[in-house]
Structures are given as structure tokens and as C-alpha cells.
């Protein structure tokens, strides 16, 4: 069974640009969560989608948005990039919600110059 | 708001030593607690999951305990090996929100050959 995949794995952008990250969950998993990991703040929850609906949202500005498609694949978009957005972005999938074990992807390393 | 603390932030031990990693939390209304391992630049791998009603879980050389009344969990690693070198994170799901992990900041473990 294939694991959670994230594309691209590495990304370099400049301030003011926008970026879209993709996450494909494990087959059969309907919940996808996104996290930002930085050395200073650790792992912070961005949002969670289940069956194409956002169920939870963390404390991030509106520049961070996401969506989920009917095949459960999810995308995360960050507009007007800032230097502080440089981070490892991780997505996790689970069957129906966090009560089950969550499986994490390898992450997308975003660098904003 | 749940606050999760992991002590120590870093630990260096010689191979073969038994060790304990600590995770403390402020809100005991947890649904479950998971211990994850993260290798440099990689995603998270789930090691053990303890449900709120359980006291401990074991997998091979790993044993995790949970004491909700004192707001603590420990991860015990027996006979440590260089391959155990990684960052270990604890994460909690709350009874009032199954879909958002609260992560500790992690303990970076280095096992010296």
C-alpha cells in the first residue's frame, strides 16, 4: 500500500509569490491534515479536510488556504509569500479522523528568499 | 488551550543505554496520545498510540506510558542503538477535537556507537 505522497519535495520562491503544495493520502483515507514545521514554532496545525470539507482550521492568516478533491487529494496554497513562511509543510492522512493513527508524508521544504 | 512540553530538548547517550523521554501536558481531557519519530528532513513515523483509557503500550524495545492525572507521558527506549537517533515527538488529540494534533517541541536523541 503506497504511503502519503507530497509534491514537490523542495521549492524555492521569492517574497510576494504564491505557491501550491499537493498531498495524496493513502488509498481509502478521507481525512487530510496540514502542518507547518519551523525550528522556532515546532509543528503547528494549519487545517484539516474530510470529504472535501474543511473541518478544522488553525491560527494562520488568510493567506494560507486549502482544498480537497473528490479523490481525497488535497492542495494547500500560500499567497503573498513572506520570509517567515519558510518551513517544512507536512500533510497527514487518516481513515476518518484523528481518532485513528495518522500517517505523515515526507513533507515539502519551502524556502522563501 | 493545550500546552505540550517535552524535556529534555536534546539527549546524547552511549549505545546500549536505557533511556526515558518525557512529555507533559496541561489539559487532561485527551482522547489519545501518540509518539512519533522524525528523521532529519523527513516526515513523521508513528511509534505508539495510547488511548485515553490505557496506561501503556509496548512495541519491541519501546514502551510508552500515560498518566492523565499528572499530565504526563513517558517513552522508554531499552538498549538504545545508533539507529534510534532521531527527534521524538509526542502529540495529543483532545476529546473536544479529534482532528487536530497538539505537538510537543520534540526531544532530539543522539545514540553514540
Amino acid at each position: 500500500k503506497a504511503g502519503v505522497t507530497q509534491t514537490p519535495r523542495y521549492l524555492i520562491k521569492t517574497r510576494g509569490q504564491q505557491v501550491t503544495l499537493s498531498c495524496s493520502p493513502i488509498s481509502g483515507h478521507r481525512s487530510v491534515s496540514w502542518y507547518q514545521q519551523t525550528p522556532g514554532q515546532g509543528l503547528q496545525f494549519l487545517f484539516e479536510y474530510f470529504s472535501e470539507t474543511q473541518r478544522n482550521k488553525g491560527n494562520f492568516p488568510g493567506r494560507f488556504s486549502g482544498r480537497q478533491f473528490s479523490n481525497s487529494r488535497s492542495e494547500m496554497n500560500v499567497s503573498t509569500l513572506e520570509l517567515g513562511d519558510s518551513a517544512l509543510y507536512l500533510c497527514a492522512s487518516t481513515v476518518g479522523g484523528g481518532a485513528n493513527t495518522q500517517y505523515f508524508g515526507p513533507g515539502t521544504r519551502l524556502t522563501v528568499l | 488551550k493545550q500546552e505540550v512540553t517535552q524535556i529534555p530538548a536534546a539527549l546524547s547517550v552511549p549505545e546500549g543505554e536505557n533511556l526515558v523521554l518525557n512529555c507533559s501536558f496541561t489539559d487532561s481531557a485527551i482522547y489519545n496520545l501518540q509518539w512519533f519519530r522524525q528523521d532529519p528532513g523527513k516526515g513523521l513515523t508513528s511509534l505508539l498510540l495510547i488511548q485515553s483509557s490505557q496506561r501503556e503500550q509496548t512495541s519491541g524495545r519501546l514502551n510508552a506510558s500515560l498518566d492523565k492525572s499528572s499530565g504526563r507521558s513517558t517513552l522508554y527506549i531499552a538498549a538504545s542503538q545508533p539507529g534510534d537517533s532521531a527527534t521524538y515527538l509526542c502529540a495529543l488529540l483532545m476529546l473536544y477535537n479529534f482532528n487536530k494534533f497538539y505537538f510537543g517541541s520534540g526531544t532530539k536523541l543522539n545514540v553514540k556507537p
Side-chain angles (χ1 to χ4, degrees):
Chain A
K1 202 173 192 181
V4 178
T5 58
Q6 291 187 246
T7 56
R9 292 292 315 278
Y10 303 91
L11 207 49
I12 299 175
K13 292 285 187 178
T14 56
R15 279 180 298 174
Q17 288 187 308
Q18 75 160 21
V19 66
T20 299
L21 312 181
S22 179
C23 172
S24 293
I26 290 172
S27 178
H29 286 193
R30 296 168 64 190
S31 169
V32 174
S33 300
W34 288 89
Y35 292 83
Q36 181 196 65
Q37 187 176 31
T38 58
Q41 299 295 320
L43 271 153
Q44 293 189 288
F45 174 79
L46 281 155
F47 27 65
E48 185 252 352
Y49 287 87
F50 179 82
S51 293
E52 302 179 65
T53 300
Q54 186 182 89
R55 286 199 300 193
N56 277 275
K57 190 176 189 305
N59 297 322
F60 279 81
R63 299 184 297 107
F64 291 81
S65 63
R67 59 178 176 169
Q68 187 179 33
F69 301 95
S70 58
N71 62 358
S72 294
R73 188 177 71 86
S74 177
E75 286 183 348
M76 188 194 101
N77 185 75
V78 188
S79 63
T80 319
L81 284 166
E82 300 177 359
L83 295 178
D85 297 333
S86 295
L88 180 67
Y89 290 88
L90 294 164
C91 80
S93 78
T94 186
V95 174
N100 306 107
T101 299
Q102 294 212 4
Y103 297 86
F104 281 79
T108 294
R109 171 73 64 185
L110 172 64
T111 302
V112 182
L113 302 176
Chain B
K1 184 193 170 191
Q2 178 69 279
E3 300 285 343
V4 185
T5 305
Q6 289 188 247
I7 295 173
L11 185 62
S12 184
V13 301
E15 181 177 4
E17 194 162 295
N18 301 325
L19 56 101
V20 175
L21 307 181
N22 296 293
C23 172
S24 60
F25 46 92
T26 55
D27 187 345
S28 62
I30 68 170
Y31 184 79
N32 66 34
L33 182 148
Q34 277 189 248
W35 282 92
F36 290 91
R37 166 187 174 137
Q38 185 176 31
D39 293 286
K42 303 282 183 65
L44 279 63
T45 301
S46 180
L47 298 172
L48 289 165
L49 183 152
I50 309 178
Q51 298 292 352
S52 172
S53 58
Q54 297 175 318
R55 296 284 295 191
E56 65 180 295
Q57 281 287 344
T58 299
S59 176
R61 295 183 294 107
L62 305 179
N63 175 277
S65 68
L66 173 63
D67 183 346
K68 287 191 303 178
S69 62
S70 65
R72 288 187 61 192
S73 175
T74 61
L75 179 66
Y76 175 83
I77 302 177
S80 58
Q81 303 170 357
D84 294 330
S85 297
T87 296
Y88 291 81
L89 298 122
C90 66
L92 289 79
L93 288 176
M94 309 306 294
L95 284 171
Y96 45 80
N97 191 337
F98 287 175
N99 305 305
K100 171 186 174 182
F101 271 125
Y102 290 88
F103 278 93
S105 52
T107 294
K108 187 173 183 179
L109 173 65
N110 177 38
V111 181
K112 298 171 288 186

